[in-house]
């Protein structure tokens, strides 16, 4: 809402004693701080009086060659007179001087970027008056000392161009000369001496005398604040935060009040509700005869606000009333600062209080019940990122800890456990009920049993989309990946982080939400799924246009997704089913098969397993739809790594000699064998020795090596230069039709079994990596062949839908054609992002993405935040062309972005029907979907979360951000 | 031009004796053959009379339930009467019967797909008449026998559903019974006996008697031809060639003439110009008292046509006149068939004569000079693919050869040489002047010196875009890649192809134009660049809108490109410069450098080399522009392969033991060492042994291993999962700014040197792998920093332009932004295709593209033929958006597609400014560019080359194919 237009004649806006020239909506003219002070005053809070010089004067000051015009000075003096009157003090008074603060305040928050002058009005005379009033000479002279320093620095630029702060040097030298170690040892006479040294140094450095005239001090300070708008750091901050340079800053001049003016003075902060739990109770702390700094410094322990009720019921009632009033006024929990000056209560600041995620949810839901806000507003209040905290175990905020290194925050949640370096061991120890963290350089599909056994996964390589990250997220287990500072030496059985050498069994803690790694156990707090959250998400579902589904590969996952509120499975990755311990060997045999018959017999075994999987999934998700993606990864992903195999084979061959011929000669061999090899392989030698001996006793010793050789040959034959662009997805399905046919049959048969039991199901078959209609036709022909067969065999009608992943760029270009057969599209934005940027997911994050982010070449990691200007444009084209062919075409997204709030907003604006996210992110997605529908999300780039601002609670501008986000700018 | 609309009343179109109801434009109604016969007749050629039943009757026949309507029969009989009159013979006449041929003839050529009946009109009586006229009973009865067989098969369907042809079986059985080995041994009585057996078998199989009534024969044959439109093979052919099923076939009924009716009869073929050389001379062969088959069978040697001049000057003059007439009529070289029947000359067929590439060029150019055709028409006449033949050495067409295997035709041209398996050996043997073919599984950058030494490259892995293919094409050396039937065993030093085991030194021949591999030396014919071709291409340059540049990496390449007519260098790949033998080590040191200083010292060396390279390039290409692409490949491409390094290291370590400790103990070690390892490594052991010994004598034995370990560590650190999407191009340039800065400096300094010598130059700097404007800005800042420095140092103004490769999909989406800085775009369609399809160039061709082509999932290999419906759409968007920002934006293409004619046509229609091709393809591209500008290229898909048709010489339809090609269909 733009500020009410005010005549530009007025340059200065007074506030105080319940009256104000401005108001809270006038941020453009008065800056955020000025508008807020005016508003607080108007609402009736006892704000120390003051006035604001408008932002327009900033330009005028600049234009006038850094001079304040006489008219402005006159207005300031008129307003100063009002302040003096209200505060009952005179500026520069010798007995009880009015002191002022002079602060900047622009339309957007620029914390710490511009200058401030406090205690303005002190001079050699008025400092005595302050002393008389406070009976605290140390405070009074120290305030004067600080003022000189601040004024000298900010206004007179005494330190300009010097390497060290000249005032700081004087103080340090003085302390050294007098043998003081701390500022606290300075006595009043010392302070007086330092003041004189300061004044002399100011004169020496600037050629001017520190001004004793309070008005001269005031003009200087106002000019300095205006000038601070143009400092290099302020300009740099504006550039980074995209704040226009022509906004300018306002200047806020306000009477200072002091809480340390005796027993009837004090200071404190309070919250209208508990910021930790959200409970509706008046909460806060205060200290009498103290300043704000004393509370912060922790020298004295503040008292709970309830004590004030007994000590000073009148002030307490006033304060409580103001708090309630402000909460009602801003309709949000407030964080207020107050000062009692000689028995009079002043409110210094009120703002929306920061709060924990669970408090935010509870406050929002309770405020709806109190009819303070609407359900829509409640939804708008909760940042989806904040919600994430609640849904995963996190480190106890109270626990002390120091991270030893930080990797990629790959799968959220925190957990502790003993280090284990090997999936087999993890499985073994896991059976003994031990808490484990699997620590690897990187993980492979064959480590999957280690994932099941471990509580968390830590790797030294790979990003958010590495195997470890994706699998851990899918399972909802915490994971930190790419912690490159960790050197893992499998042979030595150590993980070295800096000076720490960790071994198997050592306990560590990982925080997958921050990427941090800790040595030892750090206590954690469990995830919460409160009834308030449940209520909030139900409201969200009513508001959202986007449906939220879950990514789930097993019935267990499906049940979890459903508990989190998923309305269907948007992506079931069938390859995950092949990765479990009992199935991988069958899969490997199938790949190694040399004849079609042999392959078919393994496929028959897999068929049974998959049929059971799908039956479970369909039942768990009934009556919602389940989208099954046919096999996607290249076959070599199911086979061991080529380098490991070669090493294994080499050792096995070396060992054959020793094991099969255990006489003196082999003993010699052991002695003369390359010591390097011997050392490196000692562990493997023992393990293979055992295995070989075992095999030998069964008389099949050679088989081990032969089999490894066979696998190696296959791995070599299947090897690809760029597997991500390789023989996978539908390409595989067309090359090995028997695999896709097996999967399609398993889906249809599972559906038939459910239908026989009268369970409502909606199976959807999805083809990955499609780039042309012909591929879809090809796979569809398998379906057309098998469907009637299955229906006949089971004697029931089997429903299904057939659709395409859209993850290849060409599929976007051919979307109009694909929609001829595809009944739905599901954007695989991981792969689509990869192909659009030509960035390999696995390489980019570790090689150059960090540099790109640091150098502002890319603001976000496109694998986390859906790229609005590239990937989303392709999606837009695909949706448009697809729906032109098939108006009812259902469109969803099943990439990692489906769980990212900013990306969900973009999906909403692109007109998608659903997003699919990993189960623990389903609630986040539900909230984000609702917020997107409210269409009041700010139009800032999807990746940056907004800093919480006072004005966030105001009805925000109704800019049609949805429209903006869709518009394909060039 | 659509056929003149003819009233549908007429079903039958007569031709004969200079008159015809139809004409050459009526292909829709009369089919190609019918229209052609009418046209020949109208022009005045003595064509045997006949008539054509229109294609519309084909539908009518089908609709009428496979019956000929009485009205049609009546029309046929009326026309038959005309034919009898003109030919002076009666149909079914006992003394001198008129025999007919009944042939199909549709609008599009469908060779061999439909049925034909010859010798129609023969029966037990007329065969005697034929015998009387020809005095050749063997011919007569054999004609009758063949007729029965043809009629029985085609019309009566006697063989339908049988595995073997029943007539063939009868003949074979008869011959066996009589002890005949060949048909030639059959005597007249045998033929008569077979005729009876045929008739009996026909009756047995069909239940009907072979009809003696000529009219009944005629009705049956006409029906059979109509029906043959609907056979499965005809339908399949139409489906594949996209011929509409509703076109239907016409039926051509024509009097048969015989060249074997005595000494005054004969037959022959002639060409209006020499089809081998294009020389303008009357050329042909004939035989008296013979049929066409006799000429083909080669039993008798035909006489040169010049002999006819002496033997029968009248006929010769007639024939010569007709030939000249037809050439003028069709304004193209004609291939004519004629028959002399008892002193009367009949012209049976005329069509555009097939010719060699060089003949095509000569004929076209000479016809322009004879004012027969325009230069535009000349351009249109030459198929760019045909031109390619001329530009590379090819196998001597006369040489006998049999290919042992076929791989991918990776780099055109044919050559022979001795096999060599190793680049080092190639270099050594090359110095001795030996002709070599480098045979490898695949090649790597470190094999580059082997490329220089070899005449051709043969690999068993990789496609058209493999390293071997790309480098060979760049050098213009023949290459066959991906010849998977070849098993190369480096240890054994053998290449096994089927039963052949080839060793080093064995001679083979490879044909990179066909992909064929031959054992032994096959003679080759050198490339030709005739003055006619030069003329043709000059005309082409005037017509073309697209400029043609060359891809060249060295001054030598640049000179070659220029000789081929390139007007600039569109792509100089700077990494190629690093690959030469003297530079790779510097590059490797630069990569291995551990400090910035160390790296800079190697870069300084490279700077000098690059400066020299660029100076040479600029000079060679002056005054045309030279576009230099900054470093593109990932650094690990310059380092050795990880597996090889590991093996090398392993052996080196094993050997250390033996070499450094040559006593009894190590001897034992050699004995007990894993025999498997020992055997595998024998060769390496010897080689490393030698190297190590050499090193040891210099006292630096350990260094070898240490260095290898260092390289291995670096290779491991740089390793990428998907290098094609990895740390390369501008990503590398931003990560290692010193590399790009060195290159930019080298370019600017080279330009300055040229400018000092007053040489006109236009250097262009191009950034690869760009995906966002920020990357361009980043690199541009290097340029802005270095440019004034260089100008000042050399004291001259240095011109340059700055542009971007468009090879990342996102660059297409951001083209509008990129054009803010980029002064030109160059599409890297290799990478763009890869990213658009998510196909890895290196994997797709060997893993599944062949299957995709076979299964019609993709009609073309998109790495050869620019993908119109995916990649070109992205290009279209990028061009549109780029030119919106910068109207004068120059746009080119430098991918492999820049040398492919169909893709060049597409580039033309997309509005590109230039294409850049490898030097030997520059002439092909020049021609293709001109043809594209003529905008009369047919609208068939870019990948399939048109079969040469009679009508190709006609003014073709002015369909706006350009518009069609651009229209982005969905």
């Amino acid at each position: 809402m733009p500020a009410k237009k005010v005549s530009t004649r007025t340059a200065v806006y007074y506030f105080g004693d319940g009256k104000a020239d401005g108001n809270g909506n006038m941020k453009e003219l008065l800056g955020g701080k000025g508008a807020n002070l005016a508003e607080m005053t108007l609402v009736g809070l006892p704000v120390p009086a003051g006035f604001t010089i408008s932002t327009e004067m900033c330009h005028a000051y600049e234009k006038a060659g850094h001079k304040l015009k006489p008219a402005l000075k006159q207005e300031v003096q008129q307003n100063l007179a009002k302040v003096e009157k209200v505060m009952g003090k005179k500026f520069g008074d010798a007995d009880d001087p009015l002191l002022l603060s002079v602060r900047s305040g622009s339309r957007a928050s620029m914390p710490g970027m511009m200058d401030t002058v406090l205690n303005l009005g002190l001079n050699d005379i008025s400092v005595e008056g302050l002393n008389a009033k406070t009976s605290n000479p140390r405070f009074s002279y120290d305030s004067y000392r600080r003022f000189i320093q601040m004024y000298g620095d900010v206004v007179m630029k005494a330190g300009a161009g010097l390497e060290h702060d000249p005032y700081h040097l004087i103080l340090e030298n003085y302390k050294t000369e007098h043998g003081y170690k701390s500022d606290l040892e300075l006595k009043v006479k010392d302070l007086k001496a330092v003041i004189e040294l300061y004044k002399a140094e100011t004169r020496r450095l600037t050629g001017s005398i520190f001004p004793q005239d309070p008005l001269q001090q005031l003009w200087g300070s106002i000019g300095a604040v205006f000038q601070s708008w143009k400092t290099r750091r302020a300009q740099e901050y504006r550039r980074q935060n995209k704040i226009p340079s022509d906004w300018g800053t306002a200047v806020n001049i306000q009477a200072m009040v002091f809480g340390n003016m005796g027993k009837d003075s004090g200071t404190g902060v309070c919250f209208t509700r508990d910021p930790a739990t959200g409970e509706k109770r008046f909460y806060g702390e205060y200290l009498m005869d103290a300043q704000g700094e004393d509370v912060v410094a922790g020298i004295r322990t503040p008292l709970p606000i309830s004590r004030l009720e007994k000590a000073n019921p009148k002030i307490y009632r006033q304060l409580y009333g103001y708090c309630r009033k402000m909460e009602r006024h801003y309709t949000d929990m407030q964080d207020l600062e107050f000062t009692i000056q000689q028995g009079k209560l002043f409110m210094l600041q009120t703002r929306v209080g920061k709060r924990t995620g669970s408090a935010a949810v509870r406050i929002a839901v309770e405020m709806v019940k109190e009819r303070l806000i609407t359900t829509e507003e409640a939804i708008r209040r909760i940042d989806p990122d904040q919600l994430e905290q609640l849904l995963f175990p996190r480190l106890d905020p109270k626990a002390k800890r120091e991270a030893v290194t930080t990797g990629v925050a790959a799968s959220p949640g925190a957990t502790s456990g003993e280090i284990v370096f090997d999936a087999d061991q993890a499985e073994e120890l896991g059976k003994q009920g031990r808490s484990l963290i699997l620590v690897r350089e990187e993980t492979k599909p064959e480590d999957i049993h280690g994932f099941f056994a471990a509580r968390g996964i830590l790797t030294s390589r790979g990003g958010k989309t590495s195997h470890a990250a994706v699998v851990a997220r899918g399972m909802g287990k915490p994971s930190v990946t790419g912690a490159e500072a960790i050197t893992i030496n499998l042979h030595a059985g150590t993980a070295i982080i800096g000076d720490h050498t960790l071994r198997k069994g050592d306990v560590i803690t990982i925080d997958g939400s921050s990427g941090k790694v800790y040595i030892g156990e750090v206590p954690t707090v469990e995830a919460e799924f409160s009834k308030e959250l449940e209520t909030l998400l139900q409201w969200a579902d009513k508001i959202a246009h986007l449906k939220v589904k879950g990514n789930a590969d097993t019935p267990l996952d499906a049940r979890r997704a459903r508990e989190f509120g998923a309305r269907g499975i948007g992506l079931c990755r069938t390859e995950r089913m092949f990765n479990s311990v009992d199935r991988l060997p069958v899969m490997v045999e199938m790949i190694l098969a040399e004849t079609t018959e042999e392959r078919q017999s393994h496929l028959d075994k897999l068929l049974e397993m998959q049929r059971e999987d799908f039956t479970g999934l369909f039942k768990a998700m009934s009556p919602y739809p389940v989208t099954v993606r046919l096999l996607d990864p290249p076959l070599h992903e199911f086979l061991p790594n080529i380098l490991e195999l070669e090493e294994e084979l080499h050792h096995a061959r070396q060992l054959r000699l020793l094991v099969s011929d255990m006489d003196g000669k082999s003993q010699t061999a052991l002695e003369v064998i390359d010591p390097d090899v011997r050392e490196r392989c000692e562990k493997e030698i023992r393990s293979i020795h055992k295995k070989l001996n075992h095999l030998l006793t069964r008389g099949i010793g050679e088989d081990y090596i032969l089999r490894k050789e066979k696998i190696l040959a296959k791995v070599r034959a299947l090897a690809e230069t760029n597997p991500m662009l390789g023989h996978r997805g539908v390409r595989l399905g067309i090359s090995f039709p028997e695999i896709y046919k097996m999967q399609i049959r398993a889906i249809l048969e599972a559906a038939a079994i459910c239908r026989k039991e009268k369970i409502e199901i909606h199976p959807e078959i999805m083809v990955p990596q499609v780039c042309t209609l012909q591929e879809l036709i090809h796979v569809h022909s398998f379906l057309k062949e098998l469907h009637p067969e299955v229906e006949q065999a089971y004697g029931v009608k089997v429903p299904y839908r057939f659709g395409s992943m859209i993850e290849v760029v060409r599929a976007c270009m051919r979307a109009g054609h694909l929609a001829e057969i595809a009944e739905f599209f599901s954007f695989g934005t991981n792969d689509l992002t990869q192909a659009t940027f030509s960035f390999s997911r696995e390489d980019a994050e570790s090689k150059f993405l960090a540099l790109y982010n640091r150098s502002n070449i890319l603001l976000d990691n496109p694998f986390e935040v859906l790229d609005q200007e590239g990937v989303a444009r392709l999606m837009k084209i695909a949706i448009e062309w697809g729906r032109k062919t098939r108006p009812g075409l259902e469109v969803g997204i099943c990439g990692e972005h489906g769980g990212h709030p900013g990306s969900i907003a973009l999906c909403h604006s692109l007109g998608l029907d659903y997003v699919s996210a990993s189960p623990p992110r389903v609630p986040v997605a539900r909230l984000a979907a609702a917020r997107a529908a409210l269409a009041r999300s700010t139009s800032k780039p999807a990746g940056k979360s907004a800093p919480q601002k006072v004005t966030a609670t105001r009805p925000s501008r109704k800019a049609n951000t949805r429209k903006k986000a869709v518009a394909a700018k060039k």
Side-chain angles (χ1 to χ4, degrees), chain A residues 18-320:
Chain A
K19 290 186 267 306
D21 295 337
N23 65 50
N25 289 333
M26 292 166 68
K27 278 172 70 185
E28 279 183 32
L29 207 61
L30 305 184
K33 186 171 201 71
N36 195 33
L37 286 167
E39 186 78 9
M40 282 167 73
T41 306
L42 284 177
V43 171
L45 260 57
V47 176
F51 52 88
T52 304
I53 305 176
S54 83
T55 55
E56 289 171 348
M57 290 306 109
C58 188
H59 313 302
Y61 175 79
E62 170 108 17
K63 268 194 207 155
H66 299 126
K67 284 207 166 58
L68 298 173
K69 291 192 182 163
L72 178 63
K73 283 187 174 176
Q74 198 186 336
E75 257 195 83
V76 166
Q77 281 182 288
Q78 285 161 0
N79 280 279
L80 183 57
K82 286 187 183 173
V83 173
E84 286 177 331
K85 196 171 162 202
V86 167
M87 298 304 289
K89 294 176 192 232
K90 287 280 173 191
F91 189 47
D93 194 80
D95 297 330
D96 183 11
L98 173 69
L99 302 188
L100 297 177
S101 63
V102 180
R103 288 187 169 94
S104 65
S106 83
R107 219 191 289 185
S109 172
M110 290 171 60
M113 286 300 123
M114 289 179 294
D115 288 329
T116 292
V117 181
L118 301 177
N119 299 335
L120 191 138
L122 282 178
N123 57 19
D124 293 352
I125 294 162
S126 63
V127 69
E128 302 299 337
L130 182 65
N131 191 15
K133 267 291 173 187
T134 58
S135 312
N136 190 340
R138 219 182 157 278
F139 160 71
S140 304
Y141 289 101
D142 199 44
S143 296
Y144 188 33
R145 177 190 71 81
R146 285 170 193 268
F147 172 53
I148 298 169
Q149 174 165 4
M150 207 179 270
Y151 193 90
D153 180 39
V154 168
V155 184
M156 301 179 76
K157 315 285 182 204
L162 300 181
E163 203 174 331
H164 299 286
D165 177 359
Y167 300 107
H168 184 69
L169 278 181
I170 288 170
L171 192 63
E172 290 306 305
N173 288 342
Y174 188 92
K175 276 154 62 184
T176 310
E177 281 166 21
H178 292 77
Y180 298 152
K181 292 201 170 137
S182 139
D183 286 7
L184 294 174
E185 295 173 59
L186 291 165
K187 296 171 195 76
V188 172
K189 73 168 173 50
D190 297 320
L191 290 167
K192 286 182 176 171
V194 170
I195 285 168
E196 291 313 314
L197 290 171
Y198 274 13
K199 288 197 282 194
E201 183 70 356
T202 304
R203 185 166 185 179
R204 193 182 74 79
L205 287 170
T206 68
S208 305
I209 294 169
F210 167 75
Q212 291 289 322
D213 174 9
L215 261 183
Q216 193 186 339
Q217 292 173 0
L218 181 58
W219 305 139
S221 300
I222 293 171
V225 170
F226 278 146
Q227 282 186 50
S228 69
W229 176 254
K230 289 283 187 177
T231 58
R232 183 173 293 181
R233 62 175 184 166
Q235 287 179 349
E236 179 58 22
Y237 182 90
R238 287 197 293 271
R239 199 186 64 73
Q240 281 184 8
N241 290 274
K242 296 182 183 143
I243 298 171
S245 219
D246 60 4
W247 279 2
T249 183
V251 184
N252 297 293
I253 293 129
Q254 191 179 15
M256 292 191 71
V257 289
F258 296 92
N260 56 349
M261 283 194 172
K263 300 282 174 210
D264 58 349
S265 297
T267 190
V269 294
C270 55
F271 292 84
T272 57
R273 308 197 182 210
D274 187 331
T277 65
E279 192 191 346
K280 189 177 177 182
R281 66 183 186 97
F282 187 41
Y283 176 91
E285 295 174 333
Y286 76 106
L287 266 177
M288 292 309 282
D289 199 8
Q291 290 192 104
E293 296 97 283
D294 300 328
V295 182
V296 176
I299 299 165
R300 290 163 57 193
T301 304
L303 306 170
I305 203 81
S306 53
R307 290 278 290 274
L308 184 64
E309 190 170 8
K310 284 180 198 151
N312 194 334
K314 188 179 138 238
I315 293 278
Y316 179 84
R317 273 196 308 276
Q318 270 186 354
L319 179 64
Y320 182 75

Side-chain angles (χ1 to χ4, degrees), chain A residues 454-697:
Chain A
R455 295 177 60 166
I457 291 90
L458 169 62
T459 70
S460 60
R461 284 179 54 187
K464 282 218 177 185
T465 47
S466 62
H467 177 265
V470 174
V471 174
R473 274 201 299 281
M475 293 185 175
K477 297 201 177 191
S479 174
V480 173
T481 60
E484 295 187 349
I486 305 180
T487 308
I488 295 166
N489 187 332
L490 283 182
H491 301 288
T494 56
I496 298 170
I497 316 177
D499 301 336
H500 307 275
T501 300
L502 301 172
R503 287 167 203 288
K504 184 182 141 189
D506 289 348
V507 172
I508 59 170
T509 301
I510 60 172
D511 182 358
S513 305
S514 67
K516 288 189 162 43
V517 179
Y518 306 88
I519 292 177
E521 187 175 344
V522 180
T524 56
V525 178
E526 273 314 293
E528 304 159 56
F529 204 84
S530 63
K531 65 176 198 306
E532 284 90 0
L533 178 55
E534 192 59 59
T535 305
L536 187 84
L537 291 176
Q538 279 166 9
W539 294 338
D541 289 346
K542 281 186 196 136
I543 290 165
H545 302 165
L546 282 169
K547 275 204 292 270
V548 177
K549 302 184 184 182
N551 296 347
D553 310 325
T554 63
L556 186 72
D557 284 350
R559 278 188 288 274
R560 281 182 65 222
R562 195 152 185 180
E563 279 163 21
F564 281 120
R567 289 189 282 176
I569 294 179
L571 175 63
C572 161
R573 285 156 294 207
T574 50
E575 58 271 19
R576 294 283 167 80
M577 299 173 170
F578 297 140
N579 270 332
S580 67
V581 197
D582 52 331
R583 295 172 180 194
L584 191 59
V586 187
M587 189 69 187
V588 171
E589 288 308 323
M590 191 276 286
I591 296 169
L592 295 177
E594 275 162 6
T595 64
T596 314
E597 294 73 37
E598 203 189 323
R599 166 162 294 149
Q600 194 56 53
S601 85
H602 298 300
L603 281 170
D604 290 344
K605 277 182 230 159
L606 291 171
L607 172 69
E608 277 179 46
M609 297 167 177
Q610 291 238 298
R611 191 199 298 124
E612 204 183 304
D613 290 332
F614 295 136
T615 310
L617 274 176
F618 294 158
K619 287 183 180 174
M621 209 31 91
S622 169
Y624 293 120
V626 174
T627 309
V628 181
R629 179 179 71 183
L630 301 177
L631 190 67
D632 183 42
L635 293 182
H636 52 76
E637 275 201 12
F638 297 96
L639 301 180
N641 177 288
I642 197 165
L643 290 175
E644 282 172 16
L645 261 176
E646 287 197 328
E647 197 158 335
E648 220 171 328
L649 244 179
H650 170 65
H651 297 155
R653 286 181 183 137
Q654 290 255 359
L655 259 289
R656 221 169 57 187
L657 200 74
L658 303 175
V659 175
S660 63
D661 175 21
M662 277 292 188
D663 61 8
K665 190 174 162 199
S666 64
Q667 197 50 44
T668 316
L670 192 58
E671 274 162 25
V672 299
I673 203 168
D674 181 348
D676 205 354
V677 174
R678 197 170 55 204
E679 184 187 330
R680 250 195 323 138
C681 315
E682 218 175 296
K683 204 176 124 223
E684 282 82 354
I685 286 181
R686 271 203 307 275
S687 137
I688 297 172
H689 199 283
K690 214 172 108 189
K691 283 184 195 167
L692 268 179
N693 253 342
H694 178 67
L695 291 169
L696 280 170
T697 55

